Amino acid sequence: MVSERGRSHADVMSQSQHDSTAGRGAPGGDWWSRRPRRSATDRKIAGVAGGLGRALGVDPVLMRVGFVVLMIFGVGVPLYLLGWLLLPADGDQTSAAESLIGRGRSSVPPVLAVGLAILLMISMGWMFSWGSPFWPLLVVGIIAVMVARNRRENCTGHGGPRTATDDWSARVGQRAQSWGEQAEQWVGRQSWSGSGSSSTVTGDGDTGGRPGGPKSPFEKPPFWEQDGRRSAADGPAAADAPSEPTPPAWDPLGVAPFAWDLPEPTPLPTAPPARQTDRGVVGRVTLGVALLVGGLATAGVFAGWWNLSWAAVAASALAVVAVGLLIGSLRGRGMALIGPGIFLSLVTVALTITGISGVSGYGQHTWTPTTVAAAESSDYVLNGGQGTLDLTQLTVPAGQRADVNLEVHAGQAQVIVPADTTVNAICTTNAGQVNCLDETASGLHKEISPSHPGSSDNGTINLTVHVGAGEAEVTSRG
Amino acid sequence: MADTARAGRRRVNPIGLLLALAFLAVASVGFSGDPWWLLNSATKWVIAGAVAVVGISLLATALPGRNRKNVS
């Protein structure tokens, strides 16, 4: 009995320790809680390679070689730092990154974790220097993973699958009940108890259903047996009589069911109902103020009160939503503002890339300057549409220079330069394609600076073409 | 009593907090008018801001009256 009890207790303790170190939701949890752990023994720096090798069944030396090879391509350092931050060490409750936001304990000090995060950002900046467009994808991916995890935790928090704590509690309850029954049976077997069977003892000295057993020294049966006795011996009238639970006169082991009849625990006080209204109030007030600010900024642009770009107008509403979300998040609320915030962010980014401002300058325009003064004094700006700048009739005297700028925020910018004039062009685009004097580029944030040699009898045209979103094209025509 | 106070206390929503800061960063891009401002010129400010936010968070959690749950 003792050995079995001891073994069960050891199992329970082992299970409890495993639960406490396996992370949230383990065992049998999601993939996040079952991710590899950094090795505490096989480590050179932080045990990332050792832990990954142990989890994958690969020699950790090969994992280290792989990290070194990846470092050549600029990926190894960020990956190792990610593992350091996101993988918990052996014996830790959670990873360093999660411990920073208060989701458990980690052996990595917070200062070191912050330093690792900064190093990770810098190394990823280097890694993505050749492809800054991947930054938004990375951010969106991280947000998606966090939102998915949050939803899964909410689902498993109420009515979800049984957790390790539930199983442990059930096992302890069953074992306690078993011990109680064993103790009760032991008492029943004693000579002084006089109760061979708890359901058959009587107060007048009989031995009930245990023939040949000792006679009870008490005049009355224990109170927990009075109901059954009354119902069996005294008839319906006695069975209807209310029983008064009184403790037995002599119960040194505390085995009477009265001792086990503990009151139900007092439920924890619930949150005040006022919290339910916080979400609506913060969201409504924030969206109301955002619409008010956005509408006022738009009205000012249309009325000419101020010269704001449309990106700034959208950013004004977005800033209000961000502040509202910040306040709501500090109060544990504000999730309803995430959707409008994402929408306004996309609108703000799109409008910033294009750079559209004002209410005029849309459609198709063609400019044909003939003199240097006319070419330099005019602003060739188009908000949206197609703008064509024809410089074939522009005559630049030898030794002189004409600085010409064309800007199309969204659409196509086309410039035609004379073939016998030297042209130094700078063509840029935030998003789109550049085809400038037989040099092409496409993508985000592109800039090329080609030159076109001309006759020494003419001057030089310094041409700058910028397209926010769309296509820039510069061609020469003789 | 402490449990009652802890239960009535509102927990910070980290996802909302991060998204709020991201929205503020995007809004700053819109105000600047340069879509690459955040990546080119403001990298140092982003890093400094992130460090400041972490520092403020640590200070806020260490303030008296915000005694955290004793895990040990």
Side-chain angles (χ1 to χ4, degrees):
Chain A
M1 176 69 72
V2 175
S3 62
E4 180 184 356
R5 188 176 304 173
R7 181 176 56 83
S8 302
H9 181 70
D11 291 343
V12 169
M13 292 303 292
S14 174
Q15 180 68 34
S16 174
Q17 183 179 6
H18 180 266
D19 293 345
S20 66
T21 58
R24 301 157 58 246
D30 55 353
W31 60 271
W32 182 256
S33 59
R34 288 184 277 107
R35 64 191 186 276
R37 289 177 167 271
R38 292 187 286 110
S39 175
T41 55
D42 188 5
R43 59 166 56 193
K44 298 298 180 186
I45 301 177
V48 176
L52 289 176
R54 180 182 58 190
L56 300 175
V58 181
D59 191 348
V61 176
L62 293 178
M63 301 298 297
R64 295 188 182 102
V65 171
F67 272 114
V68 172
V69 172
L70 289 176
M71 284 178 188
I72 299 174
F73 299 99
V75 190
V77 173
L79 283 182
Y80 196 90
L81 291 176
L82 270 177
W84 198 339
L85 280 170
L86 297 181
L87 297 181
D90 289 336
D92 283 355
Q93 276 187 334
T94 184
S95 62
E98 288 174 303
S99 70
L100 275 181
I101 56 176
R103 292 197 169 189
R105 289 182 302 170
S106 172
S107 59
V108 180
V111 177
L112 178 59
V114 172
L116 290 174
I118 295 174
L119 281 177
L120 177 64
M121 293 177 62
I122 295 174
S123 61
M124 293 190 76
W126 287 341
M127 186 178 72
F128 285 109
S129 60
W130 46 267
S132 56
F134 292 101
W135 269 105
L137 294 179
L138 181 68
V139 173
V140 169
I142 293 174
I143 291 173
V145 168
M146 293 183 70
V147 170
R149 286 201 62 211
N150 194 37
R151 286 184 177 177
R152 189 179 299 121
E153 287 170 2
N154 290 337
C155 290
T156 56
H158 303 282
R162 291 172 61 86
T163 62
T165 306
D166 297 334
D167 295 338
W168 179 83
S169 161
R171 284 197 302 272
V172 169
Q174 291 174 359
R175 192 163 300 280
Q177 186 178 1
S178 172
W179 290 346
E181 291 173 354
Q182 292 173 9
E184 196 171 355
Q185 291 171 4
W186 179 82
V187 170
R189 287 194 298 269
Q190 305 308 311
S191 59
W192 43 264
S193 70
S195 58
S197 174
S198 60
S199 61
T200 55
V201 69
T202 59
D204 53 1
D206 64 353
T207 58
R210 193 160 57 98
K215 186 178 179 180
S216 172
F218 301 102
E219 295 179 355
K220 292 182 178 181
F223 72 89
W224 60 86
E225 299 299 341
Q226 290 179 1
D227 288 345
R229 181 177 176 274
R230 284 196 188 103
S231 61
D234 298 344
D240 293 336
S243 61
E244 296 178 358
T246 55
W250 189 66
D251 187 15
L253 297 177
V255 296
F258 173 82
W260 301 96
D261 202 9
L262 298 176
E264 292 295 326
T266 305
L268 291 175
T270 57
R275 292 185 61 187
Q276 301 298 326
T277 61
D278 287 350
R279 169 206 262 163
V281 169
V282 172
R284 282 200 299 270
V285 168
T286 302
L287 289 180
V289 174
L291 289 175
L292 191 63
V293 169
L296 187 63
T298 303
V301 171
F302 276 109
W305 297 338
W306 43 67
N307 186 22
L308 277 179
S309 67
W310 290 111
V313 173
S316 304
L318 177 61
V320 174
V321 172
V323 172
L325 181 58
L326 193 66
I327 296 173
S329 300
L330 294 176
R331 300 165 65 89
R333 301 293 184 185
M335 296 295 282
L337 294 173
I338 292 178
I342 292 176
F343 172 74
L344 285 174
S345 296
L346 295 176
V347 172
T348 301
V349 169
L351 290 174
T352 307
I353 287 177
T354 59
I356 295 175
S357 62
V359 294
S360 61
Y362 297 93
Q364 186 171 3
H365 288 264
T366 301
W367 300 276
T368 311
T370 56
T371 62
V372 173
E376 289 184 338
S377 62
S378 299
D379 290 331
Y380 306 113
V381 179
L382 194 65
N383 264 323
Q386 181 179 11
T388 303
L389 179 60
D390 188 357
L391 299 178
T392 56
Q393 301 179 27
L394 176 64
T395 301
V396 182
Q400 291 192 7
R401 185 183 64 187
D403 297 326
V404 183
N405 301 320
L406 172 63
E407 184 174 355
V408 175
H409 294 148
Q412 184 181 20
Q414 185 176 16
V415 181
I416 306 171
V417 297
D420 56 352
T421 304
T422 300
V423 177
N424 298 320
I426 299 175
C427 302
T428 60
T429 181
N430 289 332
Q433 185 176 3
V434 177
N435 184 5
C436 206
L437 295 175
D438 297 331
E439 288 189 18
T440 60
S442 62
L444 296 176
H445 201 199
K446 295 298 179 184
E447 176 179 345
I448 55 177
S449 304
S451 295
H452 170 71
S455 172
S456 59
D457 296 335
N458 296 322
T460 302
I461 297 177
N462 293 328
L463 178 65
T464 302
V465 182
H466 174 74
V467 173
E471 180 183 5
E473 182 180 7
V474 178
T475 58
S476 62
R477 184 183 299 171
Chain B
M1 198 63 178
D3 292 340
T4 305
R6 189 177 297 120
R9 185 183 304 149
R10 297 175 172 85
R11 289 187 59 194
V12 175
N13 182 3
I15 296 178
L17 203 60
L18 287 176
L19 285 177
L21 296 176
F23 291 159
L24 282 177
V26 175
S28 72
V29 170
F31 284 123
S32 71
D34 182 7
W36 318 111
W37 171 79
L38 203 60
L39 296 176
N40 296 337
S41 306
T43 305
K44 53 188 177 184
W45 298 111
V46 170
I47 294 175
V51 174
V53 166
V54 172
I56 290 173
S57 302
L58 292 176
L59 284 177
T61 54
L63 285 177
R66 290 186 62 89
N67 47 346
R68 303 176 62 183
K69 185 177 181 180
N70 189 5
V71 182
S72 62

